[in-house]
Amino acid sequence: MNQKYSPTTLRGVGRWMLPAVLGAAVLGAAVLGAAVLAGCQDTSEVEPFTGPEYYPLAVGSYRIYDVADTAWANNKPTVSRFQFREQVDTELTPDATGQSVYRLIRSRRPTATDAWRVDSVFTVTVGERAVTEQFNNRRTVALVFPVREGRVWNINAFNSQDSVTASNRLYSRVGQPFSVQRNGKTYGYDNSLTTTNNLAVDVNACYTSIRRTTFAKDVGPVYRISRAFTHDPGGGKPCDNTAIYLGQSRSEVLIESGK
């Protein structure tokens, strides 16, 4: 039997699952975002400039991820597996604020024996205060400097998805070791940090939204996980956070990198 969802449910799903497609960024937005990041800086103490080493970029370098993707409908999962390769293609002319900009090509293949096919292109900008990523004209703040345990910032400082004063990203386990298993193999790193969205706001009885990325020092992003679920059955029935009526989850584990 086909499940029907209420308008309220569909709005909730749209909020958590559909990526915002915004117009191209202009200098004013960049300046505003930089001002917001500067406003988050604590000037009462002098801290070492740490952070860029968690997202190293060089033309020709690449990272390959094993991806597990699960789509949910009426509490039933459909799992698919594939690989992503993210390769630094070009270092572009510095942007309007003088920051280094790199273009990365993301390719996809079903298995390790298949040929790569270009999936998408995105850019990564490395500045004095942050690293930002831009997918489909939407720019987000991946890291802020200096890195510090418990530090929070606005991942959407350069777009209009949140207010400029929002604090929706958090550092945890800064400098700690990290390991993850995939296909019977363990991948370990001596020094890492993890960024996470505001789970106190983004996880509740009706909806779950989790965005977590772990970066390893001198390696880059090594583990990404995202979950977007609705627990609202519709029809005026109460939410049930033990059931997934609609949603998607994805995990990406770095299995190879080089140049």
Side-chain angles (χ1 to χ4, degrees), residues 14 25 29 62 67 96 98 130 137 155 161 177 232 244 251:
Y62 70 90
V67 183
N137 292 324
I155 193 173
Q161 189 165 355
D232 184 352
I244 303 173
S251 65

Side-chain angles (χ1 to χ4, degrees), residues 55-206:
Y55 208 141
L57 295 164
V59 174
S61 63
Y62 70 90
R63 303 181 183 97
I64 296 177
Y65 298 88
D66 184 77
V67 183
D69 191 272
T70 305
W72 293 81
N74 295 318
N75 220 30
K76 294 181 179 179
T78 301
V79 180
S80 61
R81 299 292 295 270
F82 53 91
Q83 293 184 346
F84 272 147
R85 181 185 66 189
E86 295 177 354
Q87 186 165 22
V88 182
D89 174 60
T90 307
E91 183 174 359
L92 304 174
T93 301
D95 69 4
T97 59
Q99 301 176 111
S100 299
V101 182
Y102 297 86
R103 183 175 67 185
L104 284 77
I105 298 176
R106 175 180 281 179
S107 301
R108 174 173 170 161
R109 65 184 180 186
T111 70
T113 60
D114 294 310
W116 291 106
R117 293 182 179 274
V118 174
D119 176 82
S120 56
V121 177
F122 65 100
T123 59
V124 178
T125 301
V126 181
E128 292 184 356
R129 296 189 180 276
V131 169
T132 64
E133 299 171 325
Q134 184 162 318
F135 294 85
N136 297 322
N137 292 324
R138 178 185 167 198
R139 189 177 179 187
T140 56
V141 184
L143 299 171
V144 293
F145 309 142
V147 300
R148 183 174 65 245
E149 184 74 21
R151 185 176 185 180
V152 297
W153 70 95
N154 182 6
I155 193 173
N156 294 310
F158 292 90
N159 64 62
S160 59
Q161 189 165 355
D162 281 308
S163 68
V164 295
T165 58
S167 295
N168 45 32
R169 204 71 177 174
L170 169 74
Y171 277 137
S172 64
R173 297 188 55 80
V174 173
Q176 297 298 308
F178 173 80
S179 65
V180 61
Q181 290 188 336
R182 190 66 128 213
N183 300 325
K185 184 176 181 179
T186 299
Y187 300 88
Y189 307 92
D190 293 333
N191 187 320
S192 73
L193 60 81
T194 296
T195 69
T196 312
N197 59 310
N198 189 345
L199 301 183
V201 173
D202 295 340
V203 177
N204 55 58
C206 293

